[in-house]
Amino acid sequence: MQLLLAPPKLCERSGRTRNLEPGAPLERISLEISHQCNLRCRYCYAAASSHDHPGLTDDELQRIVAEAVKLGACLVSIVAGGEPLLRPSMTTAGQALIDFANALGCYCYLYTNCTLVTPRVADFLRSRDVSVVGKLNSLRESVQDNLAGARGSAQLIRRGIDGLLDAGFASTNPSRLALETIICPRNYDELPEIWHWMRARNIVPEVEIPTLHGRALEHLADIAFTPEEAPRKYEELFNELARIDREFYGYTWEAHPPFPAASCRLFENNCYINARGGVQPCAGVDCTLAQLRVGDFERDGLPLAEIVKLPQFTSLREVRQRVHQPCRGCKLSHECYGCRGAAYQATGDMFAPDPVCWRRPTLTSAAQSVAECHRGACGPRRVG
């Protein structure tokens, strides 16, 4: 009888990094470096571009990390509001935010589109306490270029991924390399092939349902299924990927949104900080709960230690009790609370039911709100 194992996750910390402190206000922070990017991905939640906001300074980012460490944080995600590697200091020894975070005992995740990952960059990152989360939306160059909004991006992305593989990021157990892939009409049919491609190379697949905000609202036909068909399409794909894992790789998991073989925990252990120093629930729930004392808000903002005590922030930690029915009563509620970003973008309520979950019996008002957005009747909702 074959023993079925849980799917592998990214390497979270080395022997040099701090352990989680039970009861600490923070376990992890996610930091948007800037909204500047060398691509124009059709699904980008930040609608990033080469001319966008330069973000916080290196000194301000270090101050935020230092504050977070005092509150218990031991994981730092450098997230892709834009492309972090556009900032020269990111790969400069002694100046890199990764070096600063590592020195304080934090393990890092670097989110990158991989186009700027050269052998030198890969070698620089290899010697740090960091895992890399890249992007790969298609194995077909034309589809990858289209979704990235830049001709030639597919070749640069594959070159970057190959560089990380050559540097040994996927040779560890667990792997230090993951790739994000959105689920959309343009790549839907090849997603099982992409899943096999990553599993065979010990790359952690982070396939996800995109949230419909930012630049995605300009490209709904490329990015989104209709609200009526979306739950069925996602159910069929997730079940097929679960079958592949079970039959070919010995991993077992139960299918639910928003990620195959994984669950979201960001409301329970994370603090998401955008490129202007605003604290928001996550990338998908893009409402500002409070403003850090950095950048334009150096005088009027709040210290992180005060923000994590605010009711609007502590309510995130109660997500499993606050999420509405039928999500709260689902048999998987102990491991899943649906996609809060999908709920927020459809209804304006981050605790509303997940509108694309196939476990829901009927097309409810949340999904109908998504349908209205498809018809152009509304834009992304804002609260706070």
Side-chain angles (χ1 to χ4, degrees), residues 226-280:
T226 66
E228 293 77 13
E229 69 176 337
R232 175 182 58 82
K233 300 289 282 189
Y234 295 138
E235 179 183 19
E236 291 176 354
L237 175 65
F238 279 49
N239 285 336
E240 173 61 11
L241 298 181
R243 183 194 67 81
I244 290 172
D245 261 4
R246 185 173 60 252
E247 295 183 6
F248 290 90
Y249 303 103
Y251 305 133
T252 183
W253 46 273
E254 190 159 2
H256 60 76
F259 314 110
S263 297
C264 176
R265 290 186 58 226
L266 293 182
F267 267 44
E268 296 178 318
N269 67 6
N270 189 54
C271 178
Y272 189 99
I273 300 167
N274 64 35
R276 295 180 183 271
V279 173
Q280 59 189 63

Side-chain angles (χ1 to χ4, degrees), residues 22 26 35 100 160 179 198-200 239 251 289 322 325 342 358:
L26 293 179
H35 284 177
F100 181 83
L179 294 176
M198 287 195 262
R199 283 289 195 229
N239 285 336
Y251 305 133
L289 303 176
R322 288 177 173 264
Q325 296 289 6
W358 55 88

Side-chain angles (χ1 to χ4, degrees), residues 16-325:
R16 296 185 297 273
T17 53
R18 305 170 66 233
N19 292 323
L20 172 65
E21 300 175 18
L26 293 179
E27 176 182 346
R28 175 174 178 162
I29 61 168
S30 297
L31 276 173
E32 287 185 356
I33 299 301
S34 79
H35 284 177
Q36 291 184 327
C37 192
N38 58 336
L39 301 181
R40 291 183 60 86
C41 293
R42 291 174 180 263
Y43 54 88
C44 180
Y45 65 83
S49 72
S50 59
H51 305 295
D52 215 317
H53 191 267
L56 302 176
T57 67
D58 290 349
D59 287 344
E60 288 170 329
L61 293 169
Q62 290 181 6
R63 280 167 46 195
I64 293 171
V65 171
E67 285 188 69
V69 167
K70 292 180 181 178
L71 296 170
C74 55
L75 303 172
V76 176
S77 292
I78 301 168
V79 299
E83 173 47 53
L85 293 179
L86 282 172
R87 185 174 294 215
S89 63
M90 286 300 300
T91 53
T92 301
Q95 298 180 29
L97 185 61
I98 294 170
D99 286 349
F100 181 83
N102 285 170
L104 294 179
C106 293
Y107 193 88
C108 294
Y109 299 97
L110 174 67
Y111 287 70
T112 172
N113 61 35
C114 291
T115 60
L116 301 180
V117 176
T118 63
R120 184 197 74 80
V121 170
D123 186 65
F124 176 90
L125 296 172
R126 179 183 58 185
S127 60
R128 270 80 182 166
D129 285 324
V130 60
S131 291
V132 177
V133 184
K135 293 186 184 295
L136 180 69
N137 289 311
S138 178
L139 296 171
R140 303 192 296 262
E141 288 190 7
S142 61
V143 176
Q144 177 64 74
D145 284 357
N146 177 272
L147 291 173
R151 184 175 299 176
S153 63
Q155 293 184 11
L156 294 176
I157 289 170
R158 289 295 293 272
R159 182 198 68 180
I161 294 171
D162 288 344
L164 293 166
L165 289 170
D166 291 342
F169 272 84
S171 64
T172 59
N173 187 23
S175 178
R176 293 173 61 196
L177 178 61
L179 294 176
E180 286 186 322
T181 307
I182 66 157
I183 304 168
C184 68
R186 283 188 172 270
N187 69 358
Y188 185 84
D189 291 341
E190 66 169 317
L191 285 170
E193 178 187 0
I194 294 173
W195 191 271
H196 271 300
W197 189 91
M198 287 195 262
R199 283 289 195 229
R201 290 161 176 78
N202 198 34
I203 297 170
V204 177
E206 294 196 359
V207 175
E208 61 187 272
I209 299 170
T211 49
L212 302 183
H213 60 135
R215 195 173 289 125
L217 294 174
E218 304 170 19
H219 303 282
L220 286 175
D222 291 324
I223 303 305
F225 298 101
T226 66
E228 293 77 13
E229 69 176 337
R232 175 182 58 82
K233 300 289 282 189
Y234 295 138
E235 179 183 19
E236 291 176 354
L237 175 65
F238 279 49
N239 285 336
E240 173 61 11
L241 298 181
R243 183 194 67 81
I244 290 172
D245 261 4
R246 185 173 60 252
E247 295 183 6
F248 290 90
Y249 303 103
Y251 305 133
T252 183
W253 46 273
E254 190 159 2
H256 60 76
F259 314 110
S263 297
C264 176
R265 290 186 58 226
L266 293 182
F267 267 44
E268 296 178 318
N269 67 6
N270 189 54
C271 178
Y272 189 99
I273 300 167
N274 64 35
R276 295 180 183 271
V279 173
Q280 59 189 63
C282 65
V285 184
D286 50 355
C287 63
T288 300
L289 303 176
Q291 184 67 47
L292 277 171
R293 190 177 290 171
V294 291
D296 297 335
F297 298 88
E298 186 67 47
R299 291 187 177 182
D300 302 328
L302 296 173
L304 188 57
E306 292 185 21
I307 291 175
V308 299
K309 297 177 182 178
L310 296 175
Q312 58 265 39
F313 185 87
T314 57
S315 69
L316 305 180
R317 304 304 192 235
E318 302 165 356
V319 58
R320 297 188 191 278
Q321 293 76 44
R322 288 177 173 264
V323 68
H324 304 329
Q325 296 289 6

